[in-house]
Amino acid sequence: QVQLQESGPGLVKPSETLSLTCTVFGVSVSSSSYYWSWIRQPPGKGLEWIGYIYYSGTTTYNPSLKSRVTISIDTSKNQFSLNLNSVTAADTAVYYCARETTGPWGQGTLVTVSS
Amino acid sequence: DIQMTQSPSSLSTSIGERVVITCRASESIRIYLNWFQQKRGKAPKFLIHSASSLQSGVPSRFSGSGSGTDFTLTISSLQPEDFATYYCQQSYMTPYTFGQGTNLE
């Protein structure tokens, strides 16, 4: 059974970098059959696609975040990661990792940007 | 970006009723349309892909239709566990975009 689990700090200071890791269980992130996504949801609001990465390291980002976001993959640990720099309060959200967008999804992790 | 607009934003409904949610894309997305269900405090659950193909394990009371710019999600007879927020999402072109959600209450 494929499962994904997000991990990382729940509190980030403004102007700093948000860093999250998604650990994948039950399937290899090296599989050429899938890409791996990050999606976020501000409290009480809708869903925003952040970007995805293929096993090869090829990435595609949402242009609205492209200048601040980096997604990377570590096949040795079966993980992929999200870095979002220069964060503001507007980046406060539940962050989800997912296989593609159809899933499965991780349970999500709330990241609050506050001093 | 392709804009996805759902209607209604919220819907007051009852057990056993037929529910129809619509999703409109700002340009043609052929059939690259997914539907998700999200319950409070949980990750979205994938229901339907390619506009009308039910994900394995999803009850048959859920169905989807449409192509191009206009799509619908239908729940034929609402069950207690169906009270949730529903999102459409286009996977035709990046950036992938979601509708604003429809809350069944």
Side-chain angles (χ1 to χ4, degrees):
Chain A
Q1 183 181 3
V2 179
Q3 292 184 320
L4 291 84
Q5 183 172 338
E6 305 90 351
S7 59
L11 181 64
V12 180
K13 290 181 168 56
S15 79
E16 295 189 346
T17 297
L18 179 160
S19 296
L20 296 174
T21 296
C22 182
T23 302
V24 180
F25 304 93
V27 67
S28 172
V29 297
S30 300
S31 169
S32 60
S33 300
Y34 305 111
Y35 59 85
W36 305 94
S37 299
W38 287 98
I39 299 142
R40 70 180 183 178
Q41 185 172 35
K45 296 187 178 180
L47 297 158
E48 180 181 29
W49 175 78
I50 298 171
Y52 64 62
I53 189 166
Y54 277 99
Y55 73 100
S56 60
T58 301
T59 53
T60 300
Y61 300 133
N62 192 322
S64 68
L65 299 169
K66 188 174 183 177
S67 63
R68 299 194 290 131
V69 69
T70 303
I71 299 175
S72 58
I73 196 164
D74 186 338
T75 56
S76 67
K77 295 181 179 178
N78 218 39
Q79 296 175 334
F80 62 104
S81 298
L82 170 70
N83 276 3
L84 183 67
N85 60 38
S86 304
V87 297
T88 70
D91 295 309
T92 294
V94 175
Y95 285 77
Y96 296 99
C97 61
R99 183 177 67 178
E100 304 192 331
T101 53
T102 51
W105 293 41
Q107 81 279 10
T109 187
L110 174 63
V111 179
T112 301
V113 178
S114 174
S115 55
Chain B
D1 299 4
I2 297 175
Q3 305 302 314
M4 307 299 293
T5 304
Q6 288 180 234
S7 61
S9 295
S10 64
L11 181 61
S12 183
T13 184
S14 303
I15 303 300
E17 286 195 352
R18 179 173 177 267
V19 171
V20 178
I21 300 168
T22 65
C23 177
R24 175 164 289 177
S26 60
E27 61 185 85
S28 176
I29 58 170
R30 297 167 62 183
I31 60 165
Y32 291 88
L33 192 282
N34 301 317
W35 287 100
F36 294 86
Q37 175 195 67
Q38 186 177 33
K39 296 184 178 179
R40 187 178 301 274
K42 300 293 186 182
K45 173 187 173 184
F46 177 47
L47 298 177
I48 290 172
H49 68 90
S50 305
S52 61
S53 297
L54 216 60
Q55 175 70 350
S56 175
V58 174
S60 59
R61 63 181 179 272
F62 290 91
S63 63
S65 65
S67 66
T69 60
D70 294 312
F71 302 87
T72 60
L73 172 68
T74 301
I75 308 173
S76 60
S77 177
L78 196 70
Q79 299 301 301
E81 60 269 28
D82 300 337
F83 287 93
T85 300
Y86 293 83
Y87 293 94
C88 61
Q89 178 241 334
Q90 64 84 14
S91 57
Y92 178 68
M93 181 187 302
T94 61
Y96 298 146
T97 46
F98 294 84
Q100 80 280 15
T102 296
N103 182 43
L104 300 188
E105 51 191 24

